[in-house]
Amino acid sequence: MTSSGWHMRDMSTRNVYLNCRMFWCDDVVASNVCWGTFEPTFNFVQVAPVLLTQSLLERMRNNFMVIEVWDKKTASQNDQLVGIVKISLHQFYMSFRDRKIQTALLKSEYPVIGIDNYLPVINPFTDTRFRKIKVLLAMGSAEQVSALQHIQLETKTSVVMTKRPASYLERQHLNIQDKENGLHASKDKVVEHTF
């Protein structure tokens, strides 16, 4: 999960972390704290095995997974709840409730994706929207989830080579002079790295 920019009403830096409450148990999984930043990047991934039973599907029906966004306090204060994100699980219920469709879905290459979008972080006490976070929630076999993670990794690591602006070509005038004088470029090549 990654987050987008702060809402204009809240321009303070925070020490933000996520708590993910699983719908099938009482466990809470927390992300790392993003210390003192306006633009936290959580890179939070949670993969959990579940047994696809009728009772699990019924628990998903009209139910939500909740992600809490917390501000970690460095003094003796308690951490402060910034807001929550509610993710509907009903899509999974609708997709997997019929056995024939379930079998077909589990044979496909990729899992069923419930959400792959930015969702608002809402303060439950004031109903104020603070920000958005990018959420990808999918359900499928271990192989399907692995295939989806592989695609996500390829997307994140693909390097887009940007064209370098002309103002950074410090020695461009020397290259033009060399060409005019019939000289070839030197054997010492400059390698530019884009990060």
Side-chain angles (χ1 to χ4, degrees), residues 28-43:
V28 176
V29 181
S31 72
N32 291 327
V33 178
C34 296
W35 294 98
T37 179
F38 288 114
E39 295 291 333
T41 301
F42 297 104
N43 293 323

Side-chain angles (χ1 to χ4, degrees), residues 137-176:
L137 182 64
M139 184 172 180
S141 68
E143 294 81 15
Q144 290 172 323
V145 172
S146 180
L148 180 62
Q149 286 179 314
H150 183 72
I151 288 175
Q152 291 290 311
L153 184 62
E154 283 180 357
T155 304
K156 286 182 183 178
T157 58
S158 65
V159 177
V160 177
M161 296 302 290
T162 56
K163 193 170 186 176
R164 189 173 183 182
S167 62
Y168 288 110
L169 299 175
E170 306 86 10
R171 302 188 61 116
Q172 184 179 16
H173 67 282
L174 294 177
N175 290 337
I176 293 171

